[in-house]
Amino acid sequence: MVNLTKPVSSRFVGAVLLTLLAILPAAGSALGASAEEIYAALAKMPKEKRQQVIVERAQKEGKLVVYGSSEEDQYKAIINGFNKHYPNIKVDYLRAVSSTIVAKAVMEVNAGRWLWDLSSAGSGYHDIKQAKAAARHYGLVAEDPYPKQFMGSDWFSFEVLPLVIAYNKSMVKPADVPKSYDDLLDPKWKGKVAIDANPDSIVTAMIKKWGKEKTAAWLDKFINANQALLRRGHTAQTQLLTVGEFPVASELYAYRVELMMEKGATIDWVVPTDVAEAELPGYVIAREAPNPHAALLFSQYRTSKEGQNIYGKFGRITVHPESDVKYARLREFTKKPLLDRLTLISVEDTKLWEDASELIDKYIVPRLKAK
Amino acid sequence: MSDTQQAIGVSRFPAIIFRPRWRGRPELLVVAALIAAVGWLVAVPLGMVIWGSLRDAAPGLPGELTFNNFVRAYHNVRLIQAIGNSLIFASGAAVISFLGGTFLAWVTERTDAPLRRLIYALVLVPVIVPGILFASSWLFLLNPTVGILNKFAAYCCGLETPIVNGYSMAGMIWAQGVDNFSLPFLLMAAAFRSMDPSLEEAAQVAGANVWSTMRTVTLPVLLPSVLATLLISFIRALESFEVPAVMGIPAGISVFATEVWLALSRRRPPDFNLSATFAMGYFLITIIGVYLYHRATKSSERYVTVTGKGYRPTRVKTGWWRWPITLFSLLILSVAILLPLLILLWTSLLPFYMVPSWQAVSLISLQNYRDVLALDSAYDAFINNLIVGCSAAAIGVMLSAAIAWVVIRTRLPGRRILDMLALSPIAIPGTVMGIALLWLYLTLPIPIYGTLWILLVGFLGKYMTFAVRSSYASLTQIHPELEEASTSCGAPWLKTFTRVTLPLMAPGLLIGFLFILSLSFRVLSLPVMISHVNTRMLPSFIFDLYDQGKYEVLSAMGVMIMLFLLVIAGVSRYVSGRFGVQETH
């Protein structure tokens, strides 16, 4: 087998290199100014004139391609809202889970193909940076009163995704409801609390809030001494909590629990008092976006009060201070005092994921023993 | 086996009759084209995967050759234990699915048991229903604390301890095994349909009853099909992650697929080099499987059952066993397929999954079905799916018929390489294949990225292997004397191939077609990497719904897909009845 494929793969590699040599210079010269250069120039213009230029050029571009991990129907509603203002700009949306969509976006860029304008960065921001794929936007995406903590130099977030402790109301008395991750170490919860087999998000937040050592100690007690129940996937956990396989799930998405409660499930949730984790799913505009003005205009719409209101109708926790959120309790996540208490995990925290991965390898993976 | 054959009058024929020379033979052009096509579809992505396992950087980035990926992937002892678990899990599941599928195929194809059409339709249902739905259904049935079976036992018999525990190796094997009845069923049904019944008749005339005929004649004669079926079922179980994820992780049982997931899921974006290195593990196991298969079926003439001597399939007369056999088949189907189907149907009518109760009954509505119909972009995905699935299936069976002919009927040099190439994609996980294809068509000046063509190329390369297996099984059972007769009468090679060989292989080819088509509706990992804004496929929507926690809407979609499948099954029965081998009763 090896003898057969070796010549094929070496020929193939040669072909790839030759093609790259042919494609890359041509692609580079054809592109002209990058999105980042365009935004730098726009940032120097007076505000009104600038917005007029953005709209005019965006309409001339007439389209943009978005790679994302938001749900299809939700994105469609936002695109419809956008098209009411700009009917001539076609928005194509490609949806996949965050890691897949980032892999695709980065591979295309590494191959010298700029096929997307706006992409979810998720926890692949580090790779996007490495591929020099993100454009700095000079604050053009959103202005006051959009909260500063949801915006980086080359990324921005439309929402906040908090993880909460959820419980089955028919199995846990009000007085017994665990209020914190520390409470879950109580022996009365032994073998009764579920956690994802790969809880990277909450472990990252714990490391950010507590440091690595304390997080390791907590994981050791929770996973080993208190025999936490390992399950795969937040969706399955929400279902199993609802039917009562276990009374408590340690880290479910708050809006998902609210959606189930609206349908009549007898479950509820609390914000942990010690580590109130909230993820900020980040988006980036491509450095060499084929439609830089349309990408900017669409991003502005997504961060506007109107765009955020559309998203909020689906139960998502939008961050524009004047936007509406469907579930009143979730609104609290974007207001003081809860907002100040949140351990926000943004795309820039991706380095912490490596520490989290190490702790998961040490404390959770060995629980999956060979039997 | 050979004693039995000799006893019932199967003579040994020289196996190989086509010995093409290198010049002046039109079939050689076909062979050359075939090697080029399979080489491009399979060898190039496979080469990329091997290349990726030996590099320290993602495609497109500068890197160096290294063995470090193998050290990273296979360094810990846990993995060896997990591989041991995988072998137990995959073998158990393969045996269950083989026994169940083969028995049901025998009942529908070779006996006169009543209600055969119903059995045929029911057993095909899981082919197209997303794997994650069936895995979740088993989770709700076998759950040790809230599973319906345990609740029922507690309610009826007052039992306090659970009677079944899905969170165990046995639970995993059961769920995986019964979810995969359909593939062995299809492969073995094709084999039974192409089988010369005179062998069975001879056994019965000699005094053997139904069971000993099946045990001593039917199954041994079908050895190539049996082994191919076991091999494919085994490898599919080895690759499967749904059941190990929902039932193995809670039980603390790790299999190879779980370890691969654990190693890769925390790396974002996916680590192509590590994925490729894990793929090498699957590849090695597959090569060993194929080697064993070839050793066991070395003399293909031993398995010839369709000869030129008055071939006419008839059914075994089961006498007073007719109804017991049907009832037993329905019992198997009820336990294996109807139970999870009922869970699907039940969930599709509720706002969220609930254990059956009067309160739950009061919440029943058709809202989830309305939600499915409102997913209008799913229609485009469905059409894309049909176009890609049907094209890949049609081209795949044509290529596989030709490959089977080259491998089984000729002594051309390189035919074993062709054989190995045709089977190797089964060992490459869809995501890895997807990344390889993505990189390939992003960098080569072949403008198919972002079109349906890349999906067609991807599906052909990855899934043609199933059609190849069923074609092998079919062709091995057809005696070369039929083709020889045609050639002796002056028919050129191509005419012999299209007028004699292909029609005789039709049942096997139809199975290959249906299976590739159904996979295009089921698998997510490959299309998600290579589809683009206008070329999305239905599995993307299915996964989205699951990812969003809309399990009940997904269940409604599953029920609707099932109804669609029943129509397809009806049509395929009609088509195979018309163009396949005619039955006599």
Side-chain angles (χ1 to χ4, degrees):
Chain A
M1 212 51 240
V2 175
N3 287 340
L4 168 78
T5 47
K6 261 191 177 169
V8 175
S9 67
S10 59
R11 275 202 304 278
F12 164 71
V13 172
V16 169
L17 288 176
L18 280 175
T19 315
L20 269 180
L21 284 174
I23 287 176
L24 286 180
S29 63
L31 286 170
S34 71
E36 191 169 296
E37 289 162 352
I38 290 169
Y39 297 157
L42 284 170
K44 289 174 190 160
M45 287 184 186
K47 192 179 169 188
E48 294 209 345
K49 164 83 176 155
R50 175 173 73 215
Q51 205 54 30
Q52 197 185 338
V53 170
I54 293 171
V55 173
E56 274 173 14
R57 291 186 187 167
Q59 283 181 326
K60 209 169 167 189
E61 287 162 359
K63 62 174 180 182
L64 77 146
V65 174
V66 183
Y67 287 5
S69 46
S70 299
E71 296 167 20
E72 191 91 14
D73 51 343
Q74 300 171 6
Y75 232 92
K76 214 165 145 186
I78 293 163
I79 292 169
N80 287 341
F82 177 71
N83 283 150
K84 278 184 190 150
H85 298 276
Y86 311 106
N88 301 327
I89 304 176
K90 183 172 180 275
V91 187
D92 280 325
Y93 180 57
L94 181 64
R95 197 253 176 208
V97 287
S98 180
S99 56
T100 305
I101 211 74
V102 174
K104 224 170 148 72
V106 169
M107 277 182 80
E108 288 174 3
V109 169
N110 284 337
R113 304 275 296 271
W114 295 89
L115 301 171
W116 51 276
D117 296 288
L118 184 65
S119 174
S120 163
S123 44
Y125 177 69
H126 179 65
D127 300 83
I128 288 182
K129 287 289 263 190
Q130 250 188 349
K132 296 191 175 103
R136 273 182 291 178
H137 52 71
Y138 300 96
L140 295 177
V141 168
E143 294 175 340
D144 278 343
Y146 204 79
K148 295 271 181 295
Q149 57 266 57
F150 299 108
M151 194 75 64
S153 65
D154 56 3
W155 63 271
F156 40 91
S157 186
F158 308 122
E159 63 176 325
V160 59
L161 268 177
L163 285 174
V164 293
I165 297 176
Y167 60 95
N168 187 314
K169 287 198 283 187
S170 52
M171 299 171 83
V172 182
K173 289 180 203 152
D176 290 338
V177 173
K179 306 282 189 305
S180 65
Y181 285 110
D182 207 40
D183 283 356
L184 295 179
L185 300 181
D186 191 312
K188 75 176 175 190
W189 295 117
K190 189 169 182 177
K192 290 179 177 170
V193 184
I195 187 167
D196 195 282
N198 184 20
D200 45 8
S201 197
I202 189 66
V203 176
T204 303
M206 284 176 174
I207 293 172
K208 192 170 185 178
K209 180 79 188 284
W210 287 343
K212 204 170 163 185
E213 209 172 308
K214 190 177 171 188
T215 306
W218 184 87
L219 274 174
D220 191 21
K221 285 182 197 156
F222 180 63
I223 300 291
N224 296 320
N226 243 17
Q227 289 291 300
L229 304 169
L230 299 186
R231 295 291 181 269
R232 159 81 180 110
H234 290 109
T235 302
Q237 279 185 74
T238 315
Q239 287 164 8
L240 294 171
L241 176 73
T242 306
V243 291
E245 187 194 322
F246 39 77
V248 179
S250 59
E251 33 99 52
L252 296 186
Y253 286 112
Y255 84 96
R256 288 267 173 87
V257 182
E258 280 284 342
L259 284 170
M260 290 296 276
M261 287 164 64
E262 190 187 22
K263 289 178 179 177
T266 53
I267 55 174
D268 206 344
W269 56 273
V270 290
V271 182
T273 52
D274 42 10
V275 182
E277 192 268 4
E279 222 178 294
L280 307 183
Y283 269 74
V284 295
I285 297 178
R287 188 170 52 82
E288 304 278 359
N291 309 292
H293 299 90
L296 182 58
L297 193 62
F298 184 71
S299 303
Q300 288 177 337
Y301 183 75
R302 278 220 66 179
T303 49
S304 70
K305 185 182 166 188
E306 184 184 320
Q308 292 261 291
N309 276 342
I310 294 174
Y311 204 41
K313 278 181 191 157
F314 291 94
R316 310 302 291 244
I317 312 171
T318 50
V319 292
H320 193 291
E322 293 158 17
S323 64
D324 294 326
V325 174
K326 185 177 179 186
Y327 305 110
R329 281 172 78 195
L330 297 181
R331 173 82 278 177
E332 299 305 313
F333 282 102
T334 58
K335 285 182 182 169
K336 290 184 177 190
L338 183 52
L339 179 60
D340 291 340
R341 209 154 62 69
L342 293 179
T343 303
L344 296 175
I345 301 294
S346 79
V347 291
E348 290 176 2
D349 289 314
T350 44
K351 285 284 175 194
L352 288 177
W353 292 82
E354 287 169 22
D355 285 341
S357 183
E358 189 190 319
L359 292 186
I360 292 167
D361 272 339
K362 190 169 174 190
Y363 294 102
I364 297 182
V365 171
R367 272 282 301 280
L368 297 171
K369 289 175 197 144
K371 280 191 179 172
Chain B
M1 163 45 219
S2 56
D3 290 349
T4 313
Q5 280 185 316
Q6 279 167 9
I8 53 182
V10 179
S11 58
R12 285 174 176 272
F13 290 88
I16 310 302
I17 58 161
F18 289 93
R19 296 191 183 85
R21 289 179 199 132
W22 285 104
R23 264 176 279 176
R25 302 288 298 267
E27 62 266 37
L28 292 185
L29 288 175
V30 177
V31 173
L34 211 56
I35 289 173
V38 176
W40 182 255
L41 290 171
V42 176
V44 173
L46 180 66
M48 278 213 65
V49 174
I50 296 172
W51 176 244
S53 72
L54 295 170
R55 284 186 81 237
D56 63 358
L61 297 178
E64 288 179 3
L65 288 176
T66 175
F67 281 108
N68 191 37
N69 297 320
F70 287 87
V71 178
R72 280 201 299 155
Y74 298 103
H75 73 284
N76 67 28
V77 185
R78 290 179 43 78
L79 199 70
I80 310 237
Q81 293 170 323
I83 290 173
N85 280 342
S86 265
L87 295 179
I88 297 170
F89 169 65
S91 309
V95 167
I96 286 189
S97 56
F98 172 77
L99 290 178
T102 303
F103 175 75
L104 294 168
W106 177 74
V107 171
T108 54
E109 295 296 336
R110 302 296 308 118
T111 73
D112 58 353
L115 302 180
R116 294 191 303 272
R117 276 168 198 272
L118 177 69
I119 296 169
Y120 193 98
L122 282 175
V123 80
L124 282 182
V125 165
V127 172
I128 208 166
V129 176
I132 195 74
L133 273 180
F134 262 87
S136 301
S137 295
W138 281 113
L139 177 66
F140 292 135
L141 280 163
L142 305 178
N143 193 301
T145 47
V146 291
I148 289 181
L149 295 181
N150 288 321
K151 288 264 181 195
F152 186 71
Y155 179 76
C156 293
C157 317
L159 295 175
E160 286 180 9
T161 48
I163 53 164
V164 286
N165 180 5
Y167 293 158
S168 63
M169 179 60 94
M172 289 163 66
I173 289 176
W174 174 261
Q176 178 72 28
V178 296
D179 182 31
N180 286 287
F181 270 9
S182 314
L183 175 63
F185 173 82
L186 286 171
L187 290 171
M188 293 306 293
F192 282 128
R193 204 175 286 188
S194 301
M195 189 185 152
D196 185 349
S198 63
L199 305 173
E200 286 172 336
E201 283 164 10
Q204 287 190 321
V205 167
N209 64 22
V210 172
W211 304 112
S212 59
T213 305
M214 186 174 167
R215 192 167 48 79
T216 58
V217 177
T218 315
L219 286 180
V221 162
L222 298 175
L223 190 66
S225 297
V226 168
L227 291 179
T229 307
L230 278 171
L231 180 66
I232 291 180
S233 304
F234 175 81
I235 291 170
R236 272 181 64 78
L238 203 66
E239 255 197 319
S240 161
F241 179 57
E242 283 108 349
V243 169
V246 298
M247 293 166 93
I249 286 176
I253 296 173
S254 177
V255 297
F256 187 51
T258 325
E259 293 293 322
V260 173
W261 171 72
L262 282 169
L264 297 174
S265 60
R266 290 197 299 282
R267 295 169 204 281
R268 302 170 187 206
D271 185 331
F272 174 72
N273 307 97
L274 200 58
S275 314
T277 313
F278 279 122
M280 290 295 102
Y282 285 116
F283 191 50
L284 182 70
I285 297 173
T286 309
I287 288 176
I288 295 171
V290 174
Y291 172 75
L292 294 175
Y293 169 81
H294 276 297
R295 271 194 65 132
T297 60
K298 217 170 177 179
S299 321
S300 60
E301 78 274 16
R302 283 164 59 200
Y303 310 106
V304 166
T305 58
V306 178
T307 67
K309 295 185 291 184
Y311 164 60
R312 51 172 188 87
T314 55
R315 295 182 176 277
V316 177
K317 305 250 181 315
T318 49
W320 68 271
W321 280 100
R322 284 178 77 227
W323 275 103
I325 285 174
T326 294
L327 291 177
F328 185 62
S329 304
L330 290 176
L331 181 71
I332 292 178
L333 285 168
S334 306
V335 176
I337 293 170
L338 272 183
L339 269 181
L341 274 187
L342 285 175
I343 296 282
L344 265 193
L345 186 63
W346 169 248
T347 313
S348 75
L349 298 168
L350 292 172
F352 53 90
Y353 174 76
M354 298 163 90
V355 176
S357 64
W358 287 117
Q359 188 214 344
V361 171
S362 69
L363 292 172
I364 282 178
S365 80
L366 290 175
Q367 183 56 41
N368 297 323
Y369 291 87
R370 283 192 279 274
D371 288 350
V372 173
L373 293 173
L375 292 169
D376 50 356
S377 45
Y379 291 118
D380 293 338
F382 183 76
I383 299 298
N384 285 342
N385 230 128
L386 271 186
I387 295 171
V388 172
C390 289
S391 318
I395 300 171
V397 294
M398 286 298 116
L399 277 174
S400 69
I403 292 169
W405 184 81
V406 170
V407 172
I408 292 172
R409 289 283 197 264
T410 75
R411 282 182 176 166
L412 285 172
R415 69 185 196 283
R416 287 208 182 279
I417 291 170
L418 188 64
D419 181 24
M420 190 60 80
L421 274 180
L423 191 73
S424 57
I426 201 175
I428 308 173
T431 313
V432 182
M433 183 92 167
I435 294 175
L437 288 170
L438 179 65
W439 180 244
L440 189 66
Y441 292 104
L442 272 172
T443 50
L444 291 185
I446 302 172
I448 63 169
Y449 182 60
T451 68
L452 289 178
W453 288 102
I454 190 171
L455 286 156
L456 176 61
V457 167
F459 270 97
L460 260 179
K462 173 88 177 97
Y463 297 111
M464 187 174 65
T465 181
F466 292 106
V468 171
R469 285 296 110 179
S470 64
S471 300
Y472 281 8
S474 268
L475 193 59
T476 324
Q477 286 178 275
I478 299 164
H479 200 283
E481 73 185 12
L482 297 163
E483 291 152 319
E484 206 174 27
S486 166
T487 332
S488 309
C489 294
W493 171 81
L494 192 62
K495 198 165 187 180
T496 302
F497 185 69
T498 52
R499 299 291 292 275
V500 177
T501 317
L502 279 184
L504 284 169
M505 289 173 75
L509 297 183
L510 182 69
I511 297 317
F513 181 92
L514 281 180
F515 203 69
I516 294 178
L517 178 62
S518 76
L519 280 171
S520 76
F521 281 91
R522 268 189 86 144
V523 295
L524 171 79
S525 49
L526 178 66
V528 82
M529 286 310 297
I530 53 177
S531 58
H532 212 259
V533 284
N534 294 320
T535 58
R536 294 188 68 195
M537 307 261 287
L538 206 59
S540 310
F541 280 88
I542 289 167
F543 184 78
D544 283 359
L545 288 173
Y546 182 77
D547 187 43
Q548 294 156 22
K550 294 178 180 169
Y551 178 72
E552 57 292 336
V553 181
L554 183 54
S555 299
M557 191 187 252
V559 172
M560 291 166 84
I561 293 174
M562 259 184 287
L563 293 176
F564 174 75
L565 171 83
L566 289 179
V567 174
I568 293 253
V571 171
S572 73
R573 278 290 291 193
Y574 175 75
V575 170
S576 69
R578 267 186 77 101
F579 300 109
V581 178
Q582 298 295 313
E583 296 172 358
T584 55
H585 294 274

